[in-house]
Amino acid sequence: MRTASRERGRVGESLCAPAAAMGTVVPSALAVAVALALPSVALENGLARTPPMGWLAWERFRCNVDCRADPQNCISERLFFEMADRLAEDGWRELGYQYINIDDCWSAKQRDAMGRLVPDPERFPSGIKALADYVHAKGLKLGIYGDLGKYTCGGYPGTTLDYVKQDAQTFAEWGVDMLKLDGCYSSEEQQAKGYPEMARALNATGRPIVYSCSWPAYQGGLPPKVNYTILAENCNLWRNYDDIQDSWDSVLSILDWFFTNQDVLQPAAGPGHWNDPDMLIIGNFGLSYEQSRSQMALWTVMAAPLLMSTDLRSISPSAKEILQNRLMIQINQDPLGIQGRRIVKEKSHIEVFLRPLSQAASALVFFSRRTDMPFRYTTSLAKLHFPEDAVYEVQDVYSRKIISGLKAGDNFSVVINPSGVVMWHLRPTTLPVQPWHVVRQQVHSEGLRPVLL
């Protein structure tokens, strides 16, 4: 989403009451995270079985097309060649960051004589095929941007319904590996027809192309206008909400919307079909060190795509350390693919989030919205609805410190910095029953208890 999101304001605002009363455990707690069934039918192109990881140009570089004044930072093949070099040479690729994604403003202002999309000849003189070849030679994948309207959000040629098949074929011939399809200058009816039509057209090319849709963001992000079962049948990932900006307020607004509406959004996500809260802005200008750690942890607990939008040529060591945290990435890429939930919202402005993982493991994030001083938060796993007779080995995701033999009934304390997080990976060493998995369960009026198979 681009201009349209800003004109509309915050989608879904005031449409749903907060998910938790202050100072209480969210009624559905752990159970809903593991109990709600995923959509029974999904887009099965075999792609995006874990959340896609890589780099996306938009938030950091926008629609800067003035290559004479700013050749290093304009939207040009040079920028993408250089970012591909950094992903391949600076340790990103080996961690799973494999996509180099072009966003808006890459094309010429007009289609060619055959009606085909073409890149701007001055900024992409080698062409997209050559760029894709370069990216592939580095062991990476290339993503590109389109829009289901007459124009893209930046005013470049869009993909109207009569061009869907042709543009899908063009992208495949170029060797594109991911398509992000925006929705500026398109109607609700055009979107309802065009997004599924592009899914079919991409599959018909025979080339594996991950499909990212902005469809729900243009329809308010919530039922009844958004049907997440249909969405998962057509898209590998989708933008639900507003564009992220380079600010902590923007990150918080996204978090608030996603977790206020978690009962709708959480069951929609899973292998091959993901909610996308937008790019990681770690390494830019708007977040403090603590806030950067928080975005990484909270995006990970949401099973969100990890698409960085920062200058990898000059990224700081501290930002790089956050983004290259191996245990964090392992949690994000967990093959079970369950999106986490907020399970506690305290009057003290502390929130707790839980993501169930494979092999009966879990991730917990303790998040502080406080702005005064570090806060000591005391609780127990039993209070967070973990099985009472289980014993866990805990590893702090950032400090890497290990706590062995933590019983569910043991009280513990974590010290959380203002706007910061403490994140734990928990592995059971004594299991009372078999591991968790996604199961169906009746939702009782008194809320849900943890579900174990």
Side-chain angles (χ1 to χ4, degrees), residues 157-203:
T159 300
T160 50
L161 295 176
D162 52 325
Y163 281 117
V164 165
K165 291 181 180 179
Q166 178 172 303
D167 289 356
Q169 188 61 41
T170 296
F171 297 146
E173 291 172 358
W174 285 344
V176 165
D177 304 292
M178 181 188 290
L179 170 65
K180 174 183 173 181
L181 192 61
D182 216 333
C184 280
Y185 302 103
S186 62
S187 68
E188 183 176 342
E189 294 74 19
Q190 289 168 330
Q191 291 168 18
K193 184 176 181 180
Y195 278 105
E197 188 170 320
M198 179 59 83
R200 293 188 292 270
L202 291 173
N203 286 343

mmCIF file of all heavy atoms in Angstrom, residues 157-203:
data_model
loop_
_atom_site.group_PDB
_atom_site.id
_atom_site.type_symbol
_atom_site.label_atom_id
_atom_site.label_comp_id
_atom_site.label_asym_id
_atom_site.label_seq_id
_atom_site.Cartn_x
_atom_site.Cartn_y
_atom_site.Cartn_z
ATOM 1 N N PRO A 157 2.930 2.501 -14.953
ATOM 2 C CA PRO A 157 1.888 1.647 -15.548
ATOM 3 C C PRO A 157 1.479 0.508 -14.616
ATOM 4 O O PRO A 157 2.328 -0.208 -14.077
ATOM 5 C CB PRO A 157 2.558 1.111 -16.817
ATOM 6 C CG PRO A 157 3.587 2.124 -17.171
ATOM 7 C CD PRO A 157 4.094 2.640 -15.856
ATOM 8 N N GLY A 158 0.177 0.362 -14.449
ATOM 9 C CA GLY A 158 -0.357 -0.704 -13.619
ATOM 10 C C GLY A 158 -0.716 -1.928 -14.448
ATOM 11 O O GLY A 158 -0.574 -1.950 -15.675
ATOM 12 N N THR A 159 -1.199 -2.936 -13.751
ATOM 13 C CA THR A 159 -1.616 -4.182 -14.383
ATOM 14 C C THR A 159 -3.125 -4.285 -14.293
ATOM 15 O O THR A 159 -3.683 -4.848 -13.346
ATOM 16 C CB THR A 159 -0.953 -5.394 -13.695
ATOM 17 O OG1 THR A 159 0.469 -5.281 -13.798
ATOM 18 C CG2 THR A 159 -1.386 -6.698 -14.346
ATOM 19 N N THR A 160 -3.828 -3.679 -15.246
ATOM 20 C CA THR A 160 -5.279 -3.802 -15.305
ATOM 21 C C THR A 160 -5.634 -5.239 -15.705
ATOM 22 O O THR A 160 -4.771 -6.024 -16.119
ATOM 23 C CB THR A 160 -5.865 -2.800 -16.296
ATOM 24 O OG1 THR A 160 -5.148 -2.891 -17.536
ATOM 25 C CG2 THR A 160 -5.742 -1.373 -15.753
ATOM 26 N N LEU A 161 -6.912 -5.592 -15.575
ATOM 27 C CA LEU A 161 -7.331 -6.977 -15.771
ATOM 28 C C LEU A 161 -6.917 -7.532 -17.128
ATOM 29 O O LEU A 161 -6.580 -8.711 -17.244
ATOM 30 C CB LEU A 161 -8.843 -7.084 -15.588
ATOM 31 C CG LEU A 161 -9.360 -6.776 -14.173
ATOM 32 C CD1 LEU A 161 -10.884 -6.832 -14.140
ATOM 33 C CD2 LEU A 161 -8.768 -7.743 -13.158
ATOM 34 N N ASP A 162 -6.917 -6.692 -18.145
ATOM 35 C CA ASP A 162 -6.573 -7.186 -19.484
ATOM 36 C C ASP A 162 -5.074 -7.440 -19.651
ATOM 37 O O ASP A 162 -4.655 -8.027 -20.650
ATOM 38 C CB ASP A 162 -7.058 -6.199 -20.552
ATOM 39 C CG ASP A 162 -6.602 -4.770 -20.310
ATOM 40 O OD1 ASP A 162 -6.514 -4.371 -19.137
ATOM 41 O OD2 ASP A 162 -6.352 -4.042 -21.287
ATOM 42 N N TYR A 163 -4.269 -7.030 -18.682
ATOM 43 C CA TYR A 163 -2.821 -7.251 -18.761
ATOM 44 C C TYR A 163 -2.321 -8.306 -17.773
ATOM 45 O O TYR A 163 -1.110 -8.582 -17.731
ATOM 46 C CB TYR A 163 -2.066 -5.940 -18.490
ATOM 47 C CG TYR A 163 -2.015 -5.000 -19.671
ATOM 48 C CD1 TYR A 163 -2.618 -3.753 -19.614
ATOM 49 C CD2 TYR A 163 -1.339 -5.356 -20.833
ATOM 50 C CE1 TYR A 163 -2.562 -2.872 -20.696
ATOM 51 C CE2 TYR A 163 -1.270 -4.494 -21.915
ATOM 52 C CZ TYR A 163 -1.891 -3.258 -21.845
ATOM 53 O OH TYR A 163 -1.826 -2.395 -22.916
ATOM 54 N N VAL A 164 -3.205 -8.893 -16.984
ATOM 55 C CA VAL A 164 -2.772 -9.801 -15.922
ATOM 56 C C VAL A 164 -1.957 -10.963 -16.482
ATOM 57 O O VAL A 164 -0.836 -11.248 -16.033
ATOM 58 C CB VAL A 164 -3.981 -10.313 -15.111
ATOM 59 C CG1 VAL A 164 -3.586 -11.519 -14.253
ATOM 60 C CG2 VAL A 164 -4.533 -9.205 -14.221
ATOM 61 N N LYS A 165 -2.480 -11.656 -17.463
ATOM 62 C CA LYS A 165 -1.784 -12.832 -17.999
ATOM 63 C C LYS A 165 -0.467 -12.438 -18.666
ATOM 64 O O LYS A 165 0.556 -13.111 -18.495
ATOM 65 C CB LYS A 165 -2.684 -13.561 -18.991
ATOM 66 C CG LYS A 165 -3.888 -14.237 -18.339
ATOM 67 C CD LYS A 165 -4.738 -14.972 -19.368
ATOM 68 C CE LYS A 165 -5.938 -15.640 -18.708
ATOM 69 N NZ LYS A 165 -6.794 -16.333 -19.706
ATOM 70 N N GLN A 166 -0.490 -11.356 -19.408
ATOM 71 C CA GLN A 166 0.727 -10.926 -20.091
ATOM 72 C C GLN A 166 1.808 -10.536 -19.108
ATOM 73 O O GLN A 166 2.986 -10.906 -19.279
ATOM 74 C CB GLN A 166 0.420 -9.761 -21.029
ATOM 75 C CG GLN A 166 1.653 -9.207 -21.745
ATOM 76 C CD GLN A 166 1.310 -8.182 -22.803
ATOM 77 O OE1 GLN A 166 0.557 -8.464 -23.721
ATOM 78 N NE2 GLN A 166 1.856 -6.982 -22.663
ATOM 79 N N ASP A 167 1.442 -9.800 -18.076
ATOM 80 C CA ASP A 167 2.445 -9.369 -17.104
ATOM 81 C C ASP A 167 2.986 -10.549 -16.295
ATOM 82 O O ASP A 167 4.189 -10.605 -15.996
ATOM 83 C CB ASP A 167 1.859 -8.303 -16.179
ATOM 84 C CG ASP A 167 1.637 -6.974 -16.898
ATOM 85 O OD1 ASP A 167 2.010 -6.873 -18.084
ATOM 86 O OD2 ASP A 167 1.084 -6.054 -16.272
ATOM 87 N N ALA A 168 2.122 -11.496 -15.970
ATOM 88 C CA ALA A 168 2.598 -12.693 -15.274
ATOM 89 C C ALA A 168 3.627 -13.424 -16.126
ATOM 90 O O ALA A 168 4.676 -13.863 -15.625
ATOM 91 C CB ALA A 168 1.429 -13.616 -14.937
ATOM 92 N N GLN A 169 3.360 -13.527 -17.407
ATOM 93 C CA GLN A 169 4.289 -14.207 -18.308
ATOM 94 C C GLN A 169 5.599 -13.425 -18.435
ATOM 95 O O GLN A 169 6.687 -14.006 -18.471
ATOM 96 C CB GLN A 169 3.651 -14.401 -19.681
ATOM 97 C CG GLN A 169 4.464 -15.267 -20.629
ATOM 98 C CD GLN A 169 4.670 -16.676 -20.099
ATOM 99 O OE1 GLN A 169 3.755 -17.279 -19.541
ATOM 100 N NE2 GLN A 169 5.881 -17.208 -20.262
ATOM 101 N N THR A 170 5.492 -12.102 -18.494
ATOM 102 C CA THR A 170 6.696 -11.261 -18.561
ATOM 103 C C THR A 170 7.571 -11.470 -17.332
ATOM 104 O O THR A 170 8.788 -11.659 -17.439
ATOM 105 C CB THR A 170 6.295 -9.778 -18.682
ATOM 106 O OG1 THR A 170 5.604 -9.574 -19.915
ATOM 107 C CG2 THR A 170 7.521 -8.878 -18.643
ATOM 108 N N PHE A 171 6.958 -11.448 -16.158
ATOM 109 C CA PHE A 171 7.729 -11.643 -14.926
ATOM 110 C C PHE A 171 8.406 -13.013 -14.932
ATOM 111 O O PHE A 171 9.568 -13.150 -14.522
ATOM 112 C CB PHE A 171 6.826 -11.498 -13.700
ATOM 113 C CG PHE A 171 6.209 -10.128 -13.537
ATOM 114 C CD1 PHE A 171 4.933 -9.980 -13.005
ATOM 115 C CD2 PHE A 171 6.904 -8.986 -13.896
ATOM 116 C CE1 PHE A 171 4.360 -8.726 -12.839
ATOM 117 C CE2 PHE A 171 6.331 -7.706 -13.739
ATOM 118 C CZ PHE A 171 5.053 -7.597 -13.216
ATOM 119 N N ALA A 172 7.691 -14.037 -15.382
ATOM 120 C CA ALA A 172 8.266 -15.384 -15.427
ATOM 121 C C ALA A 172 9.435 -15.443 -16.399
ATOM 122 O O ALA A 172 10.480 -16.042 -16.101
ATOM 123 C CB ALA A 172 7.186 -16.394 -15.808
ATOM 124 N N GLU A 173 9.288 -14.815 -17.562
ATOM 125 C CA GLU A 173 10.365 -14.821 -18.553
ATOM 126 C C GLU A 173 11.595 -14.087 -18.047
ATOM 127 O O GLU A 173 12.730 -14.439 -18.399
ATOM 128 C CB GLU A 173 9.866 -14.197 -19.858
ATOM 129 C CG GLU A 173 8.842 -15.059 -20.580
ATOM 130 C CD GLU A 173 8.203 -14.357 -21.766
ATOM 131 O OE1 GLU A 173 8.540 -13.157 -22.008
ATOM 132 O OE2 GLU A 173 7.354 -14.971 -22.444
ATOM 133 N N TRP A 174 11.401 -13.092 -17.215
ATOM 134 C CA TRP A 174 12.530 -12.362 -16.644
ATOM 135 C C TRP A 174 13.232 -13.164 -15.552
ATOM 136 O O TRP A 174 14.342 -12.814 -15.148
ATOM 137 C CB TRP A 174 12.062 -11.035 -16.061
ATOM 138 C CG TRP A 174 11.748 -9.991 -17.094
ATOM 139 C CD1 TRP A 174 12.102 -9.985 -18.407
ATOM 140 C CD2 TRP A 174 11.024 -8.772 -16.874
ATOM 141 N NE1 TRP A 174 11.647 -8.838 -19.023
ATOM 142 C CE2 TRP A 174 10.981 -8.071 -18.114
ATOM 143 C CE3 TRP A 174 10.392 -8.200 -15.773
ATOM 144 C CZ2 TRP A 174 10.332 -6.845 -18.257
ATOM 145 C CZ3 TRP A 174 9.749 -6.979 -15.911
ATOM 146 C CH2 TRP A 174 9.730 -6.297 -17.153
ATOM 147 N N GLY A 175 12.587 -14.186 -15.011
ATOM 148 C CA GLY A 175 13.182 -14.953 -13.923
ATOM 149 C C GLY A 175 12.842 -14.423 -12.547
ATOM 150 O O GLY A 175 13.581 -14.654 -11.584
ATOM 151 N N VAL A 176 11.703 -13.743 -12.437
ATOM 152 C CA VAL A 176 11.263 -13.190 -11.154
ATOM 153 C C VAL A 176 10.818 -14.330 -10.244
ATOM 154 O O VAL A 176 10.220 -15.311 -10.685
ATOM 155 C CB VAL A 176 10.133 -12.171 -11.385
ATOM 156 C CG1 VAL A 176 9.396 -11.852 -10.099
ATOM 157 C CG2 VAL A 176 10.698 -10.893 -12.010
ATOM 158 N N ASP A 177 11.082 -14.196 -8.934
ATOM 159 C CA ASP A 177 10.764 -15.224 -7.949
ATOM 160 C C ASP A 177 9.671 -14.820 -6.967
ATOM 161 O O ASP A 177 9.166 -15.667 -6.225
ATOM 162 C CB ASP A 177 12.019 -15.572 -7.146
ATOM 163 C CG ASP A 177 13.164 -16.002 -8.051
ATOM 164 O OD1 ASP A 177 13.063 -17.078 -8.661
ATOM 165 O OD2 ASP A 177 14.150 -15.224 -8.165
ATOM 166 N N MET A 178 9.318 -13.538 -6.916
ATOM 167 C CA MET A 178 8.240 -13.067 -6.044
ATOM 168 C C MET A 178 7.583 -11.857 -6.691
ATOM 169 O O MET A 178 8.274 -11.016 -7.274
ATOM 170 C CB MET A 178 8.760 -12.684 -4.645
ATOM 171 C CG MET A 178 7.653 -12.212 -3.682
ATOM 172 S SD MET A 178 8.239 -11.540 -2.086
ATOM 173 C CE MET A 178 8.851 -13.020 -1.303
ATOM 174 N N LEU A 179 6.273 -11.784 -6.574
ATOM 175 C CA LEU A 179 5.534 -10.617 -7.050
ATOM 176 C C LEU A 179 4.738 -10.035 -5.893
ATOM 177 O O LEU A 179 3.983 -10.741 -5.225
ATOM 178 C CB LEU A 179 4.567 -10.993 -8.169
ATOM 179 C CG LEU A 179 3.572 -9.880 -8.573
ATOM 180 C CD1 LEU A 179 4.295 -8.682 -9.182
ATOM 181 C CD2 LEU A 179 2.508 -10.420 -9.516
ATOM 182 N N LYS A 180 4.937 -8.744 -5.660
ATOM 183 C CA LYS A 180 4.064 -7.992 -4.757
ATOM 184 C C LYS A 180 3.096 -7.202 -5.610
ATOM 185 O O LYS A 180 3.507 -6.362 -6.415
ATOM 186 C CB LYS A 180 4.885 -7.047 -3.879
ATOM 187 C CG LYS A 180 4.035 -6.118 -3.008
ATOM 188 C CD LYS A 180 4.920 -5.164 -2.226
ATOM 189 C CE LYS A 180 4.101 -4.126 -1.478
ATOM 190 N NZ LYS A 180 4.962 -3.182 -0.736
ATOM 191 N N LEU A 181 1.787 -7.460 -5.448
ATOM 192 C CA LEU A 181 0.773 -6.797 -6.255
ATOM 193 C C LEU A 181 -0.024 -5.840 -5.382
ATOM 194 O O LEU A 181 -0.803 -6.249 -4.521
ATOM 195 C CB LEU A 181 -0.149 -7.833 -6.902
ATOM 196 C CG LEU A 181 -1.076 -7.307 -8.001
ATOM 197 C CD1 LEU A 181 -0.281 -6.732 -9.178
ATOM 198 C CD2 LEU A 181 -2.024 -8.402 -8.489
ATOM 199 N N ASP A 182 0.166 -4.550 -5.615
ATOM 200 C CA ASP A 182 -0.493 -3.490 -4.855
ATOM 201 C C ASP A 182 -1.894 -3.245 -5.423
ATOM 202 O O ASP A 182 -2.315 -3.883 -6.391
ATOM 203 C CB ASP A 182 0.367 -2.223 -4.922
ATOM 204 C CG ASP A 182 0.327 -1.426 -3.629
ATOM 205 O OD1 ASP A 182 -0.680 -1.512 -2.900
ATOM 206 O OD2 ASP A 182 1.312 -0.701 -3.351
ATOM 207 N N GLY A 183 -2.621 -2.286 -4.833
ATOM 208 C CA GLY A 183 -4.009 -2.087 -5.229
ATOM 209 C C GLY A 183 -4.422 -0.657 -5.483
ATOM 210 O O GLY A 183 -5.622 -0.352 -5.519
ATOM 211 N N CYS A 184 -3.462 0.252 -5.669
ATOM 212 C CA CYS A 184 -3.832 1.638 -5.960
ATOM 213 C C CYS A 184 -4.600 1.723 -7.282
ATOM 214 O O CYS A 184 -4.346 0.952 -8.213
ATOM 215 C CB CYS A 184 -2.583 2.512 -6.043
ATOM 216 S SG CYS A 184 -1.914 3.022 -4.445
ATOM 217 N N TYR A 185 -5.510 2.669 -7.360
ATOM 218 C CA TYR A 185 -6.274 2.971 -8.572
ATOM 219 C C TYR A 185 -7.053 1.760 -9.084
ATOM 220 O O TYR A 185 -7.252 1.600 -10.295
ATOM 221 C CB TYR A 185 -5.339 3.513 -9.668
ATOM 222 C CG TYR A 185 -4.583 4.745 -9.250
ATOM 223 C CD1 TYR A 185 -3.241 4.672 -8.889
ATOM 224 C CD2 TYR A 185 -5.228 5.985 -9.178
ATOM 225 C CE1 TYR A 185 -2.547 5.804 -8.482
ATOM 226 C CE2 TYR A 185 -4.534 7.122 -8.767
ATOM 227 C CZ TYR A 185 -3.197 7.023 -8.423
ATOM 228 O OH TYR A 185 -2.512 8.148 -8.018
ATOM 229 N N SER A 186 -7.511 0.914 -8.164
ATOM 230 C CA SER A 186 -8.360 -0.206 -8.552
ATOM 231 C C SER A 186 -9.585 -0.238 -7.647
ATOM 232 O O SER A 186 -9.528 0.170 -6.485
ATOM 233 C CB SER A 186 -7.607 -1.538 -8.457
ATOM 234 O OG SER A 186 -7.202 -1.805 -7.133
ATOM 235 N N SER A 187 -10.693 -0.723 -8.178
ATOM 236 C CA SER A 187 -11.944 -0.769 -7.426
ATOM 237 C C SER A 187 -12.052 -2.076 -6.648
ATOM 238 O O SER A 187 -11.292 -3.033 -6.872
ATOM 239 C CB SER A 187 -13.133 -0.663 -8.377
ATOM 240 O OG SER A 187 -13.216 -1.831 -9.189
ATOM 241 N N GLU A 188 -13.006 -2.133 -5.737
ATOM 242 C CA GLU A 188 -13.256 -3.352 -4.975
ATOM 243 C C GLU A 188 -13.572 -4.520 -5.911
ATOM 244 O O GLU A 188 -13.104 -5.644 -5.705
ATOM 245 C CB GLU A 188 -14.417 -3.118 -4.010
ATOM 246 C CG GLU A 188 -14.740 -4.292 -3.111
ATOM 247 C CD GLU A 188 -15.831 -3.960 -2.108
ATOM 248 O OE1 GLU A 188 -16.092 -2.756 -1.880
ATOM 249 O OE2 GLU A 188 -16.412 -4.907 -1.555
ATOM 250 N N GLU A 189 -14.356 -4.255 -6.939
ATOM 251 C CA GLU A 189 -14.722 -5.308 -7.886
ATOM 252 C C GLU A 189 -13.508 -5.780 -8.691
ATOM 253 O O GLU A 189 -13.330 -6.983 -8.926
ATOM 254 C CB GLU A 189 -15.813 -4.806 -8.838
ATOM 255 C CG GLU A 189 -17.153 -4.518 -8.172
ATOM 256 C CD GLU A 189 -17.164 -3.243 -7.347
ATOM 257 O OE1 GLU A 189 -16.257 -2.373 -7.553
ATOM 258 O OE2 GLU A 189 -18.042 -3.108 -6.468
ATOM 259 N N GLN A 190 -12.669 -4.838 -9.108
ATOM 260 C CA GLN A 190 -11.461 -5.209 -9.851
ATOM 261 C C GLN A 190 -10.516 -6.032 -8.988
ATOM 262 O O GLN A 190 -9.889 -6.989 -9.465
ATOM 263 C CB GLN A 190 -10.762 -3.947 -10.361
ATOM 264 C CG GLN A 190 -11.513 -3.239 -11.492
ATOM 265 C CD GLN A 190 -10.960 -1.853 -11.772
ATOM 266 O OE1 GLN A 190 -10.441 -1.170 -10.887
ATOM 267 N NE2 GLN A 190 -11.056 -1.421 -13.027
ATOM 268 N N GLN A 191 -10.425 -5.684 -7.716
ATOM 269 C CA GLN A 191 -9.569 -6.453 -6.815
ATOM 270 C C GLN A 191 -10.112 -7.861 -6.601
ATOM 271 O O GLN A 191 -9.355 -8.838 -6.619
ATOM 272 C CB GLN A 191 -9.432 -5.722 -5.480
ATOM 273 C CG GLN A 191 -8.637 -4.429 -5.580
ATOM 274 C CD GLN A 191 -8.744 -3.573 -4.341
ATOM 275 O OE1 GLN A 191 -9.133 -4.045 -3.275
ATOM 276 N NE2 GLN A 191 -8.402 -2.288 -4.463
ATOM 277 N N ALA A 192 -11.432 -7.981 -6.421
ATOM 278 C CA ALA A 192 -12.032 -9.294 -6.188
ATOM 279 C C ALA A 192 -11.811 -10.230 -7.375
ATOM 280 O O ALA A 192 -11.677 -11.449 -7.204
ATOM 281 C CB ALA A 192 -13.525 -9.144 -5.900
ATOM 282 N N LYS A 193 -11.741 -9.681 -8.557
ATOM 283 C CA LYS A 193 -11.491 -10.495 -9.748
ATOM 284 C C LYS A 193 -9.996 -10.620 -10.037
ATOM 285 O O LYS A 193 -9.504 -11.694 -10.386
ATOM 286 C CB LYS A 193 -12.191 -9.880 -10.957
ATOM 287 C CG LYS A 193 -12.055 -10.709 -12.231
ATOM 288 C CD LYS A 193 -12.854 -10.111 -13.384
ATOM 289 C CE LYS A 193 -12.722 -10.973 -14.646
ATOM 290 N NZ LYS A 193 -13.491 -10.400 -15.789
ATOM 291 N N GLY A 194 -9.272 -9.523 -9.890
ATOM 292 C CA GLY A 194 -7.893 -9.476 -10.350
ATOM 293 C C GLY A 194 -6.905 -10.229 -9.488
ATOM 294 O O GLY A 194 -5.986 -10.873 -10.014
ATOM 295 N N TYR A 195 -7.051 -10.174 -8.155
ATOM 296 C CA TYR A 195 -6.076 -10.867 -7.319
ATOM 297 C C TYR A 195 -6.111 -12.384 -7.541
ATOM 298 O O TYR A 195 -5.053 -13.006 -7.731
ATOM 299 C CB TYR A 195 -6.266 -10.501 -5.846
ATOM 300 C CG TYR A 195 -5.597 -9.187 -5.482
ATOM 301 C CD1 TYR A 195 -6.328 -8.017 -5.285
ATOM 302 C CD2 TYR A 195 -4.212 -9.114 -5.352
ATOM 303 C CE1 TYR A 195 -5.711 -6.816 -4.958
ATOM 304 C CE2 TYR A 195 -3.574 -7.916 -5.019
ATOM 305 C CZ TYR A 195 -4.334 -6.774 -4.828
ATOM 306 O OH TYR A 195 -3.707 -5.580 -4.525
ATOM 307 N N PRO A 196 -7.295 -13.030 -7.545
ATOM 308 C CA PRO A 196 -7.308 -14.461 -7.866
ATOM 309 C C PRO A 196 -6.856 -14.746 -9.298
ATOM 310 O O PRO A 196 -6.206 -15.774 -9.548
ATOM 311 C CB PRO A 196 -8.776 -14.856 -7.659
ATOM 312 C CG PRO A 196 -9.321 -13.833 -6.717
ATOM 313 C CD PRO A 196 -8.620 -12.560 -7.088
ATOM 314 N N GLU A 197 -7.174 -13.857 -10.229
ATOM 315 C CA GLU A 197 -6.765 -14.078 -11.616
ATOM 316 C C GLU A 197 -5.239 -14.052 -11.739
ATOM 317 O O GLU A 197 -4.654 -14.853 -12.486
ATOM 318 C CB GLU A 197 -7.401 -13.032 -12.525
ATOM 319 C CG GLU A 197 -7.185 -13.299 -14.009
ATOM 320 C CD GLU A 197 -8.009 -12.391 -14.900
ATOM 321 O OE1 GLU A 197 -9.181 -12.129 -14.557
ATOM 322 O OE2 GLU A 197 -7.472 -11.938 -15.927
ATOM 323 N N MET A 198 -4.578 -13.162 -11.013
ATOM 324 C CA MET A 198 -3.121 -13.140 -11.062
ATOM 325 C C MET A 198 -2.538 -14.402 -10.448
ATOM 326 O O MET A 198 -1.517 -14.930 -10.920
ATOM 327 C CB MET A 198 -2.578 -11.898 -10.358
ATOM 328 C CG MET A 198 -1.047 -11.812 -10.349
ATOM 329 S SD MET A 198 -0.263 -11.806 -11.982
ATOM 330 C CE MET A 198 -0.407 -10.057 -12.404
ATOM 331 N N ALA A 199 -3.148 -14.924 -9.377
ATOM 332 C CA ALA A 199 -2.674 -16.182 -8.790
ATOM 333 C C ALA A 199 -2.693 -17.292 -9.830
ATOM 334 O O ALA A 199 -1.732 -18.066 -9.966
ATOM 335 C CB ALA A 199 -3.528 -16.559 -7.587
ATOM 336 N N ARG A 200 -3.791 -17.387 -10.576
ATOM 337 C CA ARG A 200 -3.892 -18.419 -11.621
ATOM 338 C C ARG A 200 -2.880 -18.176 -12.738
ATOM 339 O O ARG A 200 -2.265 -19.118 -13.260
ATOM 340 C CB ARG A 200 -5.314 -18.447 -12.183
ATOM 341 C CG ARG A 200 -6.364 -18.933 -11.187
ATOM 342 C CD ARG A 200 -7.710 -19.128 -11.841
ATOM 343 N NE ARG A 200 -8.312 -17.877 -12.267
ATOM 344 C CZ ARG A 200 -9.118 -17.135 -11.513
ATOM 345 N NH1 ARG A 200 -9.395 -17.514 -10.258
ATOM 346 N NH2 ARG A 200 -9.646 -16.014 -11.971
ATOM 347 N N ALA A 201 -2.704 -16.904 -13.094
ATOM 348 C CA ALA A 201 -1.775 -16.576 -14.186
ATOM 349 C C ALA A 201 -0.333 -16.888 -13.804
ATOM 350 O O ALA A 201 0.438 -17.394 -14.632
ATOM 351 C CB ALA A 201 -1.926 -15.102 -14.563
ATOM 352 N N LEU A 202 0.042 -16.600 -12.569
ATOM 353 C CA LEU A 202 1.400 -16.916 -12.121
ATOM 354 C C LEU A 202 1.629 -18.429 -12.136
ATOM 355 O O LEU A 202 2.666 -18.912 -12.599
ATOM 356 C CB LEU A 202 1.640 -16.355 -10.723
ATOM 357 C CG LEU A 202 1.715 -14.832 -10.598
ATOM 358 C CD1 LEU A 202 1.790 -14.420 -9.131
ATOM 359 C CD2 LEU A 202 2.912 -14.261 -11.362
ATOM 360 N N ASN A 203 0.668 -19.180 -11.618
ATOM 361 C CA ASN A 203 0.816 -20.631 -11.616
ATOM 362 C C ASN A 203 0.887 -21.191 -13.030
ATOM 363 O O ASN A 203 1.606 -22.161 -13.299
ATOM 364 C CB ASN A 203 -0.331 -21.277 -10.844
ATOM 365 C CG ASN A 203 -0.194 -21.098 -9.337
ATOM 366 O OD1 ASN A 203 0.881 -20.786 -8.841
ATOM 367 N ND2 ASN A 203 -1.282 -21.294 -8.620
#
